[in-house]
Amino acid sequence: MNSETVRISHSPIDTAAETRAVAEAASNIGAVVTFSGICRADEKGAQISALHLEHYPGMAEQEIESHVEEARKRWPLFAARVVHRVGRIMPGETIVFVATASAHREAAFAAAEFIMDYLKTSAPFWKKTEGGGKEIWVDANEKDERAAARWQK
Amino acid sequence: MNSETVRISHSPIDTAAETRAVAEAASNIGAVVTFSGICRADEKGAQISALHLEHYPGMAEQEIESHVEEARKRWPLFAARVVHRVGRIMPGETIVFVATASAHREAAFAAAEFIMDYLKTSAPFWKKTEGGGKEIWVDANEKDERAAARWQK
Amino acid sequence: MKIVYFAWLRERLDKTEEDVDLPASVETIGDVIEWLKTRGEEYALAFDNPKVIRAAINKTHVRAEAKIAGASEIAFFPPMTGG
Amino acid sequence: MKIVYFAWLRERLDKTEEDVDLPASVETIGDVIEWLKTRGEEYALAFDNPKVIRAAINKTHVRAEAKIAGASEIAFFPPMTGG
């Protein structure tokens, strides 16, 4: 896996370029799955004007890389890529992007979901919403904890 | 759903543009999942120079549309799009593209997988490989039948 | 009745479609197949293995038992391999 | 010992990091939290609910029982909300 597999980005993510890089990583790729987590214009019913994403530099990359490595042990992947945005993010912009490439679709789908589920619960990122003059830290989601738990062997 | 949801394409699919159209379909989209089925350079170990995709015009669109409708009944989707290529397809080119958009990732992932599983087993398309001077029809895959069966209630 | 063929069925029969006059005794898709098989060796060979034949009436999947009454277009093709 | 804080913990303590001299009796992450809570009201409030505090030693997730021997950097933060 090259050093580009996991990246923290302070500027908007070019999901088309990232997808292309994964899709072209090998000649026998038959399936590419991408996931884009997008900043919604509302959070729990309240309009927001922006999100602030904070991360723990060093640990964030390490955590995601270890999840990608675990995914590669479980499924035959030709390539994987995770880009996580930090800083101020506007509605409609991509917060996190995951792409996986395999010979067949089952592995590509499962690996992308697996990476996202773990990223949600154990990668050190924190979201704060900005809207109506207030800044509010987003609470952790129990549903995410359950989603990650389903992969435990 | 607009008339662009399902399309048969005789020319290469612009997956970046298709993804953008789905991602921008609503302001509260939080998750976009895409699947690209790509023409591999080999099929069961043998090198191929191209694929030929034949379809049943009218029925192909109808079948896919009904699967997309079923997905929309099962999961809360803001948008969905399926583009299936026909004609002569070169290795590395996209054969089928599926994109789903929802508020949350679970629905987007499940709907994309569901649409692909059904498309594989019931949309009237047929593949022929071209390579080494021979043209060979691809056999149907039992694994695909099982994948589709798992969604039956 | 208009009958259309796809993939290797189309190739083996060397036709994409044909118009046929089905006898009144032909009531189901299975009957159509049996009747087609009497039309020549290429049909007998193409329809030899029923496991690899799929059918549609008016662009909707049907089984061999399906009645053809009301059909305007019958299609025969191998199992789908798209996607 | 270097201690770093993130998200609302960072905001409530009004610091991103600090260097502290931990007494020898402080052996686990749980001990560090108890010791920090004695340092002032802002600490006592920030660390009031242990359920919403996560910790890392040298950038690896650990539980409250984890020994801090060998640690060069301890981090405290709320449950993660990335992705």
Side-chain angles (χ1 to χ4, degrees):
Chain A
M1 215 176 334
N2 67 47
S3 60
E4 283 274 77
T5 299
V6 173
R7 213 166 65 244
I8 306 297
S9 176
H10 294 263
S11 53
I13 301 169
D14 183 346
T15 59
E18 302 291 346
T19 305
R20 213 160 40 237
V22 168
E24 293 169 0
S27 74
N28 38 3
I29 289 172
V32 173
V33 168
T34 74
F35 172 82
S36 300
I38 297 174
C39 177
R40 285 189 298 272
D42 67 285
E43 178 78 27
K44 285 167 188 156
Q47 288 296 113
I48 69 162
S49 49
L51 272 183
H52 291 265
L53 254 290
E54 179 172 335
H55 78 303
Y56 186 173
M59 182 172 174
E61 295 89 329
Q62 235 173 258
E63 272 294 315
I64 300 173
E65 267 159 23
S66 78
H67 301 155
V68 173
E69 280 306 322
E70 178 63 27
R72 293 175 79 97
K73 278 180 205 155
R74 292 179 182 225
W75 296 281
L77 301 181
F78 287 122
R81 188 166 288 227
V82 180
V83 187
H84 204 302
R85 183 85 184 275
V86 293
R88 190 162 187 262
I89 300 173
M90 306 304 292
E93 291 184 346
T94 298
I95 304 165
V96 61
F97 174 80
V98 174
T100 54
S102 184
H104 301 286
R105 71 185 186 287
E106 296 79 2
F109 269 117
E113 275 201 89
F114 173 88
I115 291 169
M116 271 310 300
D117 284 351
Y118 269 89
L119 191 153
K120 278 270 182 185
T121 52
S122 69
F125 293 87
W126 301 274
K127 276 194 193 97
K128 187 161 67 171
T129 62
E130 184 189 305
K134 281 188 292 190
E135 295 193 349
I136 300 167
W137 289 99
V138 174
D139 276 336
N141 193 333
E142 253 191 43
K143 204 171 62 176
D144 288 329
E145 304 273 351
R146 285 198 303 274
R150 75 186 154 135
W151 299 102
Q152 258 138 46
K153 293 184 236 191
Chain B
M1 215 176 332
N2 66 48
S3 59
E4 282 274 77
T5 298
V6 173
R7 212 165 66 245
I8 306 297
S9 176
H10 294 261
S11 53
I13 301 169
D14 183 348
T15 59
E18 302 292 344
T19 305
R20 213 162 37 239
V22 168
E24 294 170 359
S27 74
N28 37 5
I29 289 173
V32 173
V33 168
T34 75
F35 172 81
S36 300
I38 297 174
C39 178
R40 286 189 297 272
D42 68 284
E43 178 77 25
K44 286 169 187 155
Q47 287 297 113
I48 69 162
S49 49
L51 271 183
H52 291 266
L53 254 290
E54 179 172 336
H55 77 304
Y56 187 172
M59 182 174 174
E61 295 88 330
Q62 234 173 262
E63 273 294 314
I64 301 174
E65 267 159 24
S66 79
H67 301 154
V68 173
E69 280 306 322
E70 178 63 28
R72 293 175 79 98
K73 279 180 204 155
R74 293 180 180 222
W75 297 282
L77 301 181
F78 287 122
R81 188 166 288 228
V82 180
V83 187
H84 204 302
R85 182 86 182 275
V86 292
R88 191 161 185 261
I89 301 174
M90 306 304 292
E93 291 184 344
T94 298
I95 304 165
V96 62
F97 174 81
V98 174
T100 53
S102 185
H104 301 286
R105 73 186 185 287
E106 296 80 2
F109 268 117
E113 275 202 88
F114 172 87
I115 290 169
M116 271 310 300
D117 284 351
Y118 269 89
L119 191 151
K120 278 271 182 186
T121 53
S122 69
F125 293 88
W126 301 273
K127 276 194 193 94
K128 187 160 67 171
T129 62
E130 184 188 305
K134 282 188 292 191
E135 296 195 347
I136 300 167
W137 289 99
V138 174
D139 275 338
N141 194 334
E142 254 192 42
K143 206 171 62 179
D144 288 329
E145 304 274 350
R146 286 198 303 276
R150 73 186 156 134
W151 299 102
Q152 258 138 47
K153 291 185 233 186
Chain C
M1 178 72 68
K2 181 181 177 187
I3 305 188
V4 296
Y5 305 101
F6 293 97
W8 55 253
L9 263 172
R10 172 181 55 72
E11 286 185 347
R12 288 193 200 168
L13 299 173
D14 198 22
K15 56 186 66 162
T16 59
E17 62 176 81
E18 60 184 325
D19 267 296
V20 297
D21 288 314
L22 295 170
S25 60
V26 169
E27 294 183 348
T28 67
I29 286 291
D31 293 344
V32 177
I33 291 174
E34 289 313 309
W35 180 81
L36 285 169
K37 282 164 80 173
T38 66
R39 300 187 77 216
E41 204 185 347
E42 74 275 27
Y43 286 94
L45 271 169
F47 286 97
D48 182 48
N49 180 2
K51 278 193 186 168
V52 293
I53 306 291
R54 300 285 181 274
I57 293 178
N58 301 346
K59 299 182 175 167
T60 298
H61 290 291
V62 293
R63 293 173 180 280
E65 311 82 65
K67 301 274 187 202
I68 62 165
S72 57
E73 180 173 299
I74 294 174
F76 291 107
F77 42 77
M80 286 67 75
T81 55
Chain D
M1 178 70 69
K2 182 182 177 186
I3 304 188
V4 296
Y5 304 102
F6 293 96
W8 53 254
L9 263 172
R10 171 180 57 70
E11 286 184 346
R12 288 194 200 167
L13 299 173
D14 198 20
K15 55 186 68 162
T16 59
E17 61 176 83
E18 60 183 325
D19 268 296
V20 297
D21 287 315
L22 294 170
S25 62
V26 170
E27 293 182 350
T28 67
I29 287 291
D31 294 345
V32 177
I33 292 174
E34 289 313 308
W35 181 80
L36 285 169
K37 283 164 79 173
T38 67
R39 300 186 78 216
E41 202 184 350
E42 75 275 29
Y43 286 94
L45 271 170
F47 287 98
D48 182 47
N49 181 2
K51 277 192 185 170
V52 293
I53 305 291
R54 300 284 181 275
I57 293 179
N58 301 346
K59 299 182 175 166
T60 297
H61 289 290
V62 294
R63 293 174 181 278
E65 311 82 66
K67 302 274 187 202
I68 62 165
S72 58
E73 179 172 299
I74 294 174
F76 292 107
F77 41 79
M80 286 68 73
T81 55

